[in-house]
Amino acid sequence: MPPSLSAIYYSLSGSRNPQPKYKRHLPYSSFSSKNNPTIKVVSDESNISLSFQYFNYLLKLGRPKDEKLEVILSSIKKKAELQHKKEIIKQYYTTGGKSIEKSPVKDIDVCLMQNDCVLDSNISNCEAWPQASALSIGDVIYEVSFNIPSIKNLNLPDFLISGCALRPHFELESASQNDSIFTWYRSISEDYGKSLLQNKNNEILVENGKYWKKIHEGYVYFISTDDIGCFLKVVCVPKLNDRTGPECSVESKAVVEAAPEFPFEERQEHTRTFCDDESTRCLTYNVLAKMYVEQQRFPYASTKARDTCYRKQILLKELVGYNSDIICLQEVEKKIIRNSKHIYDDLLNKVSSNFKDMNKLLVQNTVLQLLAVEHSHLPGTELLIANTHLYSNKHNPEVRLLQAAICAYFIEHYIKIEGYQNPGVIFCGDFNSLPDSPTYNFLMSGKYECCVTWNIDPNSNDTMLEHNLNLDSACGTPEYTNYTESFTGCLDYIFYNKDILKVADVVPMPRHEHVIAQVGLPNEYFPSDHIPLICTFQWKDS
């Protein structure tokens, strides 16, 4: 039976008297994996983070910036001694437990230096590391690399489609996306590459026997038909102001595919250009959150249809082609919440006797994005644009009704406190409510009796929900705006105040045969399980 690990270590360190297990004791420096090792130091608003190789192990540490240097140096010392101990134990088993000459292990000295001078360990991290040139750990000297711009996890999508916008996916460290340089290349044949080089074409890149032709500079590249059948490559040089880090590159895993005929392109025939100054085009679209796709809610969708990067490319192509002035999106996995609970005291008092429903409401986030703009060609003409996504549980229509009421109350409150006179109102979103639902009826009629939905005492005083926005549905009530294998129905709407605005036109819905071509949505032609609504407004008195 082999001796205990502690016995092995102490026999080698000389701290106890068991027989030594090794013939010789290796110095610390012999374990270094690099001739000129580097310690990477990254500073953010509050912390200093270190990473470096020691005994072929990657060690990482992080401490507050305002903490004394001696604390992190002490942590480095402990980690270094622990890794040294592990390496000795590893050597024991590697040599089959053969005894070697005992050589006591000395304490590992750790210090931070500026040129040849040791820095005072009592100064703070934020003062010490920016001026440091080297870190000494025993016999190993590390060059300090402080906040050098770098790029991590650079990737391209698995599927590349011509006509779509392409962006690399990456993490920048101590660098700015705006300052960094992105250069795009297309693969070309060896013969073509050599002929271009003979003509002294300096836009040819040769790496590992592959030839690449430069095609673009910039963060976003719009894939062209010339790229079909070719691989793409992006080279990134991370920068921050005048500081430059080492470049990083990545090649696509697959060649560019020719884009199919997407059904939304037929709808885009109605939106080839932006509206004139007298009109405003509005779009609302639930783009389907990544989390729902990953939950396997759409088993009929292909791997490509469920791929996030593929869906993003198609979504951008679709959105750009509608040339909308106003774009309201849902399920983009970001929320804007305004805490104004006092505005709804009257509403909450009306339903406070039903505690069960009150709790359902209070545990939900009622999210309303509200933007006020002024018409650039009609001074003094204000337009309020509201966007929401209501609670989706089909068994709780009362929660959606209250959320809709909260949104309407807030819009009216905002109009009042800003002193707007007859502003236009556009209220978009995924309301998760069918045309026969309490929510739809409340928004369209301006009132709804709570007793109809809740089991509140009919004799209760003032249980009527009301608003005075005078809304109508710009796109009517299509047969469906959401189409999946398990559900079909109209859930999305663009409401507007009909006494101020009028509908100039509505973009037709896609053909039904296109929607059902691959069972349901999403699929390789429709990136979401919802269909966007698009319409154009004009001012009634313009």
Side-chain angles (χ1 to χ4, degrees), residues 248-524:
C248 184
S249 65
V250 65
E251 302 174 12
S252 62
K253 298 177 182 178
V255 298
V256 174
E257 302 176 33
E261 292 186 6
F262 293 104
F264 57 72
E265 292 177 310
E266 189 172 290
R267 304 184 76 195
Q268 290 171 347
E269 291 293 326
H270 301 269
T271 61
R272 284 189 171 275
T273 61
F274 281 97
C275 295
D276 57 33
D277 294 338
E278 305 301 321
S279 304
T280 301
R281 183 174 296 135
C282 179
L283 174 150
T284 186
Y285 197 0
N286 181 327
V287 297
L288 181 58
K290 175 183 176 182
M291 59 179 288
Y292 296 134
V293 179
E294 292 176 343
Q295 290 174 3
Q296 303 296 321
R297 293 191 178 189
F298 312 100
Y300 52 85
S302 67
T303 300
K304 178 188 286 189
R306 288 183 278 111
D307 182 83
T308 300
C309 294
Y310 175 81
R311 291 180 55 240
K312 283 183 178 179
Q313 291 181 73
I314 307 308
L315 278 169
L316 285 173
K317 181 178 178 67
E318 181 176 15
L319 288 171
V320 170
Y322 290 129
N323 290 311
S324 296
D325 302 293
I326 300 169
I327 299 177
C328 294
L329 303 179
Q330 301 86 44
E331 291 193 15
V332 290
E333 300 180 86
K334 288 185 179 180
K335 296 181 179 179
I336 299 176
I337 302 173
R338 185 164 181 171
N339 186 12
S340 306
K341 187 177 177 181
H342 65 281
I343 299 170
Y344 319 115
D345 287 342
D346 178 58
L347 168 65
L348 298 179
N349 288 336
K350 290 183 178 182
V351 296
S352 59
S353 60
N354 192 319
F355 293 102
K356 179 181 178 182
D357 293 318
M358 279 289 293
N359 289 334
K360 289 179 183 176
L361 172 66
L362 295 176
V363 298
Q364 299 299 323
N365 285 327
T366 300
V367 180
L368 178 72
Q369 295 172 297
L370 186 63
L371 176 66
V373 296
E374 183 180 31
H375 199 296
S376 58
H377 296 279
L378 299 172
T381 304
E382 293 87 14
L383 177 64
L384 267 64
I385 306 159
N387 181 34
T388 193
H389 187 186
L390 302 187
Y391 186 48
S392 62
N393 191 319
K394 64 181 180 180
H395 300 297
N396 298 113
E398 67 278 4
V399 175
R400 282 188 293 278
L401 174 59
L402 284 176
Q403 288 181 317
I406 288 173
C407 292
Y409 275 47
F410 184 82
I411 294 171
E412 289 188 306
H413 171 79
Y414 190 82
I415 292 172
K416 180 179 179 180
I417 63 172
E418 293 296 329
Y420 292 143
Q421 299 296 321
N422 300 319
V425 175
I426 298 175
F427 187 13
C428 300
D430 176 358
F431 293 83
N432 273 307
S433 303
L434 295 170
D436 61 353
S437 66
T439 298
Y440 182 84
N441 290 333
F442 164 71
L443 291 172
M444 290 288 286
S445 67
K447 59 179 63 178
Y448 195 84
E449 176 56 63
C450 294
C451 294
V452 176
T453 302
W454 297 286
N455 295 321
I456 297 178
D457 183 357
N459 297 319
S460 299
N461 294 325
D462 192 17
T463 57
M464 181 71 73
L465 301 180
E466 296 179 284
H467 72 79
N468 297 302
L469 295 175
N470 196 20
L471 300 176
D472 198 359
S473 177
C475 301
T477 55
E479 182 181 352
Y480 53 79
T481 61
N482 177 251
Y483 196 101
T484 68
E485 190 176 35
S486 58
F487 175 83
T488 300
C490 179
L491 304 177
D492 307 86
Y493 305 93
I494 300 177
F495 294 107
Y496 70 103
N497 56 344
K498 56 189 176 183
D499 52 340
I500 304 297
L501 300 173
K502 61 182 179 182
V503 178
D505 63 64
V506 176
V507 173
M509 298 293 282
R511 284 188 275 169
H512 183 64
E513 58 265 31
H514 290 161
V515 174
I516 63 174
Q518 294 186 350
V519 181
L521 311 182
N523 56 47
E524 294 179 18

Side-chain angles (χ1 to χ4, degrees), residues 155-208:
N155 290 295
L156 289 176
D158 291 340
F159 303 99
L160 304 179
I161 311 299
S162 64
C164 293
L166 176 62
R167 300 175 300 166
H169 300 277
F170 58 86
E171 293 179 50
L172 287 176
E173 199 168 62
S174 304
S176 163
Q177 178 182 307
N178 291 333
D179 293 339
S180 300
I181 299 172
F182 298 86
T183 307
W184 295 86
Y185 295 85
R186 175 197 305 135
S187 64
I188 56 176
S189 67
E190 181 178 351
D191 291 341
Y192 182 43
K194 288 181 177 179
S195 67
L196 292 176
L197 287 175
Q198 288 176 353
N199 294 327
K200 298 182 179 180
N201 189 317
N202 58 2
E203 295 189 340
I204 302 302
L205 180 67
V206 183
E207 285 186 354
N208 301 322

Side-chain angles (χ1 to χ4, degrees), residues 133-153:
S133 59
L135 174 71
S136 172
I137 305 178
D139 296 334
V140 184
I141 305 298
Y142 291 84
E143 179 184 350
V144 174
S145 173
F146 182 79
N147 275 1
I148 298 299
S150 61
I151 187 167
K152 304 190 298 182
N153 303 324

